[in-house]
Amino acid sequence: MAAPPRTASPTLPTLPGRYYHEPAIYAAEQERIFSRAWVCAGHTSQVAAPGDFRTVDVGDENVLIVRGRDGELRAFLNVCRHRGARLCPAAGHAGGALRCRYHAWSYDLDGRLIGVPNMAGTDFDRSAFGLIPVYLAVWHGLIFVNVDEEEPESLARLAHAELLQRFGEAETLARYHLADLRIASTIEYDVRGNWKLAVENFMECYHCGPMHPELCVLLPGFRGGAAYQQGVGTTLAEGVEAFTLTGKASRPPLPDITADDARRYYGLVLLPNVFLNLLPDHAVLHTLWPQGPDRTRIVCDWLFHPDAIARPDFDPRDAVELFDIVNRQDWEVCELAQASMRSRAYRAGGVFVPLEAHIRRFNEYVLDKLGHANI
Ligand code: FES
Ligand SMILES: [Fe+2]
């Protein structure tokens, strides 16, 4: 009997192994992706009151995000203009001014240099030594900063385009009122893997059957490897009330979501460093912080409605436990993949099967930003 005719290969190539371990490629990504893109720096509630601040590392810069007396969020390079000391620690409350520990120069919360000891009677021009501003935008309660010196493309426009492409309709996200939610739990993970492995892993569900038994009980559609459908989400199993280990709900659904939303999980990626997960009664925000070619700090925040948090019996553990298990399963396989990136077996890379084909678009995004030929 004649063999059936061969068809074109249904697979697509991944990036070659060197993209996941070479310092020069990592440095280029830091310069051409993280130092030019809008990078998510947390939730507005983490810098809620005037004088509250937090800092994040973006590319080569440490960025200070501070809420002014006028209620506005602003971002600056966290560098004292005198002799360059790092101005503020990781997070805290500054009171009325930002004061450098070294020689006590002080800056208003809006970045103006207001205090310079022992310089009275000189013609030193303080106005030339304010903090260097960084572009900041707030989108659905999430803070984004962009350390590019050139004015970047509008975040709203980019995010909208991204949403339409990967999420179906921006209105879906709006119904979750992310800005109104509050973080009730945070876990930081130190993952021995390149940041792109975490993105690629989040974008596919081919691994869900073998790796996430608990998740597949709640979302049986994931067992077959289908990634969430654009704009449709993935439906909870019959009899499952909520995205918890027991499948039981211990909080009401978020106030404005539809009955349909209350039966679904939506996941979305905002490149380069955000995974956003929408569940019936909470949201889970992952932010990725590359630490080196083979290491990524991943911060996972669980957000709930303030009314739910205010209840005396509020306990987020049923939600946290579930996604913490899923996270650890994910990071484990990212680390397994990272372990082989230097092998000659992966020098030319691997393949994406059809269920993973959409990840190739992420690889093309990286290649495009790096100015590398599409390989
Ligand atoms: S370095 Fe900040 S005051 Fe001197
Ligand atoms: Fe996963």
Side-chain angles (χ1 to χ4, degrees):
M1 202 167 83
R6 290 171 72 93
T7 52
S9 169
T11 64
L12 291 168
T14 72
L15 293 173
R18 67 177 186 280
Y19 278 82
Y20 302 89
H21 70 80
E22 268 191 14
I25 289 180
Y26 178 79
E29 288 172 348
Q30 288 300 299
E31 186 195 327
R32 305 187 70 152
I33 297 178
F34 285 86
S35 299
R36 294 186 188 170
W38 288 101
V39 172
C40 181
H43 189 263
T44 48
S45 62
Q46 293 173 297
V47 201
D52 283 356
F53 66 84
R54 68 189 259 111
T55 67
V56 290
D57 288 316
V58 181
D60 287 337
E61 302 290 0
N62 185 255
V63 177
L64 168 68
I65 297 153
V66 59
R67 195 174 290 278
R69 269 186 296 278
D70 55 1
E72 283 298 308
L73 280 174
R74 296 181 180 83
F76 305 100
L77 300 182
N78 190 17
V79 179
C80 177
R81 297 295 307 281
H82 174 220
R83 297 258 305 282
R86 180 159 291 187
L87 185 61
C88 290
H93 181 78
L98 305 159
R99 186 167 178 271
C100 180
R101 278 172 63 73
Y102 201 168
H103 313 90
W105 280 29
S106 57
Y107 301 85
D108 190 273
L109 301 178
D110 66 8
R112 282 176 301 124
L113 177 63
I114 52 175
V116 183
N118 303 323
M119 288 285 278
T122 72
D123 61 358
F124 177 66
D125 179 10
R126 288 180 197 175
S127 69
F129 290 90
L131 297 178
I132 305 293
V134 167
Y135 293 100
L136 178 146
V138 172
W139 182 82
H140 290 277
L142 304 180
I143 303 167
F144 288 79
V145 293
N146 189 318
V147 299
D148 201 346
E149 286 185 62
E150 309 287 326
E151 184 167 357
E153 199 172 350
S154 141
L155 170 71
R157 215 185 69 75
L158 284 180
H160 188 68
E162 176 72 5
L163 269 186
L164 291 178
Q165 196 180 68
R166 296 204 40 79
F167 201 62
E169 47 164 331
E171 293 77 15
T172 305
L173 180 59
R175 292 195 293 274
Y176 286 76
H177 297 286
L178 279 184
D180 295 342
L181 305 188
R182 294 293 175 264
I183 296 170
S185 192
T186 298
I187 299 179
E188 290 195 21
Y189 305 89
D190 179 15
V191 183
R192 304 289 170 144
N194 183 278
W195 68 280
K196 297 189 296 300
L197 290 176
V199 173
E200 291 163 4
N201 179 73
F202 187 85
M203 289 180 77
E204 52 100 351
C205 215
Y206 191 30
H207 71 276
C208 289
M211 278 311 298
H212 297 312
E214 299 84 357
L215 182 66
C216 289
V217 168
L218 303 175
L219 299 167
F222 277 2
R223 205 170 278 134
Y228 57 88
Q229 293 170 13
Q230 288 186 170
V232 180
T234 304
T235 310
L236 291 170
E238 215 168 304
V240 167
E241 298 169 358
F243 198 73
T244 58
L245 263 186
T246 59
K248 296 283 167 223
S250 54
R251 291 161 293 272
L254 295 170
D256 269 359
I257 64 171
T258 65
D260 236 27
D261 295 333
R263 303 284 316 139
R264 287 179 203 280
Y265 159 83
Y266 299 98
L268 103 124
V269 179
L270 285 169
L271 294 174
N273 82 322
V274 188
F275 308 155
L276 190 53
N277 309 270
L278 305 177
L279 297 318
D281 64 342
H282 66 284
V284 180
L285 170 70
H286 295 84
T287 45
L288 273 56
W289 301 98
Q291 303 292 300
D294 55 2
R295 198 156 172 186
T296 307
R297 186 168 70 93
I298 302 182
V299 180
C300 187
D301 295 307
W302 282 259
L303 297 101
F304 297 84
H305 195 274
D307 292 351
I309 295 174
R311 286 173 56 122
D313 61 349
F314 174 71
D315 183 349
R317 275 180 299 183
D318 56 351
V320 173
E321 274 172 6
L322 172 62
F323 227 119
D324 183 41
I325 288 172
V326 174
N327 283 338
R328 290 175 197 278
Q329 292 162 339
D330 281 330
W331 314 151
E332 181 196 340
V333 284
C334 290
E335 292 180 351
L336 284 181
Q338 184 68 43
S340 305
M341 290 298 110
R342 292 168 186 275
S343 167
R344 62 189 165 84
Y346 212 72
R347 195 174 289 153
V351 291
F352 292 122
V353 303
L355 281 169
E356 306 168 293
H358 55 287
I359 309 173
R360 181 66 200 171
R361 294 216 318 261
F362 165 61
N363 288 180
E364 287 164 1
Y365 161 92
V366 171
L367 293 170
D368 177 56
K369 297 290 180 195
L370 295 181
H372 291 187
N374 196 339
I375 40 179

